[in-house]
């Protein structure tokens, strides 16, 4: 039997017999001739069937085709400039229905996002969504290449924990035999453990879980976390250096491979950051934002979503950068394990990364000195006993270290200028969404 | 300040000033001279401190060093053939204690595996364990490269599910807001969904969860699953072809990068499979094993662990292969979604892969035709209603497809001839192990 040819490989062939496989996109069933647009994972092409004598069986099959039906086609490839779709068509010599689609397609182009998520596997068949996940594949691959080339060790940290990781809030509880376990909200403790274990540099791209009951465009109960952690840093600036280079590498790879397709399908230009990402202390950033007219309503010193958007606009206008690091957050709004400044214990050696006005990542140098760490736990009013297993990591020698965690879907969302996480997650999970 | 040099990069330098950072392995505190072996993520080297005038502060610091203490050292590198450890040493000019280790090291070389797991971060500091996870990193990287080069899409499937995936047994239950969710036992349903979504070829390396109360050397409640799924196959033979090539690629990469180190540290030769992996129908394999003296005690037609070991020995003796595919399992011992043979519905188009006498993977062509799938669910006495969201994937066209799932830690265990999963998992999780 002829080997299958992918549709995007047809153009490079000579006229002649081919076998292609995919699903029915559209059918034009005319009196003298039938046309089918067939789509596969690489593209779409036109099939043609003249309704001539001896071809009745093929014609009948085509007349009954529903959108989505999976077909194996053998036929004759013919280059033809008049065919709008790729300048070629395949004249069917045999057609095999591999699996029939229900003719009532449950979603349309204008269906709501919630309806489309109910039928996500159909929604994913579009060129647009296919391209989205190919771009994500290139992005993760480029990031792992970056780390691999620099001798990072890949870790697969456990998702079951005996106690809370960073806080007791928003924690999922699992029935674990006769006891309970909790789902990791991040690999934080375990990627730090890799530093005490002498791994030097470690990374992980894997799931994390937050029992967050909110319904914003930026939250999910389960998300893919991109994490890296490195030893022997001088400060959080070393972590920012690494993350900045990582993002440049990832965006460069996506632009090279899919930049033109993304321009055509999403009307989005992938901009390779040319300038260094500006690094602005958070308190200065708040002043900048206020001077541009924004009023903070929250009581603490953190940014709010509109503040992030405003500092994003500022970074673009003043520094020509879609990215901006907000640094040196007050200790009051950072977790206990962020290292504090030697000369001002009210500030931490930490940062958030904002891309196109949305926070995508938090990083910091971690406190590796057991006395300071214990003091910071007390300072936060946390229970040192529950964290004792974690404190052990610092009782037998721990190097200075730091790292970041970054939301993969947030990256994809911002790269492709998408309005929310639901659009860019393979299968979104939220408080009231567990299926499909 | 001088840049840090990794210890394995010292040998390529000229004599002169260097800065190195790592932890104390051993101290020899003699009258006239002190020696410290310092280890970092790349190796170990000898530090020397002559107890001469003006160096008392350094000497005192060294006298108080505990194993594990993290140090930043500046000193003079000198090549010296007489030094057994790498033919070089560093004469200390400054020593900075970054974090002190508790002098009572809780584990020793002869500690039990359970005790070592309590202190996994110390256990991981050994050259042996460091090498293990570097080898795993190369293995996963090579597999992803294989897929990436062939245009697979990486998927991050959800770990939360509304219903059971493959069976109701061994399922972890999560308190999910006002309801419940279950943790995915495998990405099975969702990697199949990628085929209905027209992704063509998809892969994932991620966690899976089984509430398995057993304590064997081969089971864990949480494990890293290596999964691939491809469309438009002719039969399960296509899946085996891909998996065989994938494993060859992965082992080749590990051998090239770490083959010599693995030989030295583990006394294990990484054998690149030269011959095709033999493919033996399960029922024949049982006969072979019985003819070699093994008696099956279980009532069903499956293999047992000793049977696997025996067929492993047979494959090595008769085919010079560490690997053997056992194919065409009876439908009675396979999940409902495995496709059955056209000419014998009692057999499935499935396989297990056995490496060095241990099963590491299960693969199959999946049933993609809705009528057959529904019939097979009924045949197994399962509830089609709970599977309705999954059946939807096959109601709007689904291509013929198949794939496999493989345990990452099992691969590492068998590659390095290790006795159990606990040794080769970054942080093992079992019924009574949730910490650290």
């Amino acid at each position: 039997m002829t080997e299958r040819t992918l549709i995007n490989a047809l153009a490079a062939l000579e006229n002649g017999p081919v076998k292609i496989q995919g699903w029915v996109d559209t059918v034009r069933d005319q009196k003298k001739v039938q046309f089918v647009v067939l789509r596969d994972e690489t593209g779409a092409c036109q099939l043609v069937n003249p309704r001539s004598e001896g071809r009745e069986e093929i014609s009948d099959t085509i007349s009954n085709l529903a959108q989505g039906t999976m077909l194996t086609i053998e036929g004759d490839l013919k280059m033809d400039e008049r065919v709008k779709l790729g300048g070629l068509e395949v004249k069917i010599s045999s057609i095999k229905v591999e699996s029939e689609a229900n003719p009532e397609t449950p979603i349309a182009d204008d269906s709501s996002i919630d309806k489309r998520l109910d039928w996500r596997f159909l929604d994913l068949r579009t060129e647009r969504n296919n391209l989205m996940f190919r771009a994500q594949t290139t992005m993760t691959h480029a990031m792992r290449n970056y780390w691999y080339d620099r001798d990072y060790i890949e870790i697969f940290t456990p998702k079951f924990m005996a106690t809370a990781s960073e806080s007791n809030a928003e924690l999922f509880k699992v029935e674990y035999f006769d006891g309970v376990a909790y789902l990791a909200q991040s690999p934080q403790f375990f990627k730090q453990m890799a530093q005490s274990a002498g791994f030097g540099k470690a990374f992980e791209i894997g799931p994390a879980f937050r029992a967050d009951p909110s319904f914003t465009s930026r939250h999910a109960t389960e998300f893919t976390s991109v994490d890296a952690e490195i030893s022997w840093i001088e400060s959080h600036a070393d972590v920012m250096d690494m993350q900045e280079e990582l993002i440049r590498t990832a965006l460069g790879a996506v632009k090279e491979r899919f930049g033109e397709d993304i321009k055509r399908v999403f009307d989005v230009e992938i901009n390779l950051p040319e300038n260094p990402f500006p690094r602005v202390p958070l308190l200065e950033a708040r002043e900048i934002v206020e001077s541009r007219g924004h009023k903070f309503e929250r009581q603490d010193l953190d940014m709010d979503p509109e503040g992030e958007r405003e500092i994003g606009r500022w970074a673009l206008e003043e520094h020509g950068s879609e990215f901006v690091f907000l640094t040196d957050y007050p200790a009051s709004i950072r977790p206990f394990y962020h290292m504090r400044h030697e000369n001002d214990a009210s500030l931490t050696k930490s940062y958030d990364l904002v891309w196109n006005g949305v926070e995508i990542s938090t990083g910091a140098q971690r406190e590796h000195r057991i006395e300071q760490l214990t003091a910071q736990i007390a300072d936060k009013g946390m229970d040192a006993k529950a964290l004792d297993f974690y404190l052990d990591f610092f009782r037998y020698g721990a190097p200075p270290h730091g790292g970041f965690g970054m939301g993969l879907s947030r990256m994809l969302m911002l790269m492709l200028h998408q309005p929310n996480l639901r659009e860019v997650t393979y299968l979104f999970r939220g408080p009231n969404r567990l299926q499909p």
Side-chain angles (χ1 to χ4, degrees), chain A residues 332-352:
Chain A
S332 58
I333 52 172
R334 286 308 220 192
F336 72 88
Y337 51 80
H338 283 197
M339 185 180 268
R340 300 186 181 180
H341 275 282
E342 291 84 359
N343 50 5
D344 183 352
S346 76
L347 297 180
T348 57
K349 296 188 171 185
S350 73
Y351 66 86
D352 272 13

Side-chain angles (χ1 to χ4, degrees), chain A residues 145-157:
Chain A
N145 276 338
Y146 174 90
W147 290 317
Y148 188 75
D149 290 346
R150 287 159 183 79
D151 288 331
Y152 285 59
I153 295 180
E154 178 167 23
I155 51 177
F156 295 93
T157 62

Side-chain angles (χ1 to χ4, degrees), chain A residues 1-283:
Chain A
M1 196 188 278
T2 327
E3 282 274 304
R4 178 190 187 205
T5 300
L6 291 170
I7 288 174
N8 74 350
L10 290 175
L13 298 185
E14 302 284 310
N15 288 348
V18 292
K19 173 175 151 184
I20 53 181
Q21 297 178 303
W23 64 93
V24 175
D25 193 55
T26 52
V27 178
R28 266 192 301 148
D29 197 352
Q30 301 174 350
K31 241 186 207 165
K32 296 198 171 161
V33 61
Q34 297 170 308
F35 296 99
V36 177
V37 172
L38 191 78
R39 187 171 282 283
D40 73 7
E41 62 265 36
T42 66
C45 78
Q46 176 166 293
L47 313 178
V48 60
N49 179 50
R51 285 181 173 275
S52 49
E53 228 184 286
R55 301 178 64 85
E56 292 80 4
E57 209 177 325
I58 295 177
S59 308
D60 287 352
T61 302
I62 292 176
S63 295
N64 289 311
L65 286 178
Q67 193 192 2
T69 290
M70 293 280 168
L71 300 178
T72 294
I73 298 290
E74 296 191 90
D76 277 302
L77 171 67
K78 196 177 148 205
M79 301 301 154
D80 185 342
E81 284 181 4
R82 293 167 305 173
V83 180
K84 275 192 199 160
L85 189 60
L88 55 84
E89 65 181 12
V90 174
K91 186 178 161 191
I92 299 171
S93 44
S94 87
I95 182 168
K96 185 185 171 201
V97 173
E98 300 284 356
S99 105
E100 270 183 66
N102 188 325
E104 306 267 326
T105 306
I107 55 170
D109 288 346
D110 61 351
S111 297
S112 72
I113 172 72
D114 230 47
K115 180 99 184 183
R116 283 190 287 114
L117 292 192
D118 286 341
W119 300 95
R120 184 63 163 163
F121 64 101
L122 295 175
D123 188 42
L124 290 173
R125 281 186 187 171
T126 57
E127 181 189 17
R128 176 188 179 85
N129 281 332
N130 187 292
L131 175 59
M132 190 145 73
F133 288 98
R134 289 193 188 277
Q136 179 176 276
T137 302
T138 292
M139 195 158 71
T140 52
H141 196 70
M143 290 193 285
R144 293 201 194 94
N145 276 338
Y146 174 90
W147 290 317
Y148 188 75
D149 290 346
R150 287 159 183 79
D151 288 331
Y152 285 59
I153 295 180
E154 178 167 23
I155 51 177
F156 295 93
T157 62
K159 305 312 164 200
F160 284 138
M161 300 182 74
T163 53
S165 45
E166 295 167 48
S167 74
N168 284 304
E170 306 187 346
L171 207 56
F172 281 115
K173 204 168 164 182
V174 184
E175 290 180 18
Y176 199 80
F177 305 102
D178 295 333
V180 295
Y182 300 94
L183 292 178
Q185 295 176 305
S186 84
Q188 184 61 36
F189 288 179
F190 302 130
K191 66 181 180 165
Q192 287 192 256
M193 191 189 93
Q195 313 309 308
S196 294
F199 278 19
K201 291 173 283 188
F203 73 88
E204 176 170 25
I205 301 180
F209 307 89
R210 299 217 178 153
D212 183 342
S214 58
F215 289 90
T216 80
S217 61
R218 307 192 289 181
H219 291 92
T221 53
E222 182 180 345
F223 63 99
T224 302
S225 185
V226 176
D227 283 273
E229 196 78 17
I230 52 178
S231 287
W232 301 110
I233 60 172
E234 302 272 333
S235 78
H236 53 315
D238 293 334
V239 183
M240 286 189 270
D241 289 347
M242 180 261 283
Q243 190 172 7
E244 188 171 334
E245 200 179 8
L246 179 78
I247 287 174
R248 252 177 244 282
T249 305
L251 286 184
V254 172
K255 188 181 176 77
E256 188 184 334
R257 184 146 178 187
F258 294 113
E260 285 174 30
D261 291 333
I262 288 170
K263 178 76 190 150
R264 177 174 54 79
V265 175
F266 289 90
D267 194 22
V268 168
E269 190 80 50
I270 306 285
N271 294 314
L272 275 196
E274 283 177 20
N275 306 321
F277 301 178
R279 298 177 184 192
V280 191
L282 175 75
L283 299 181

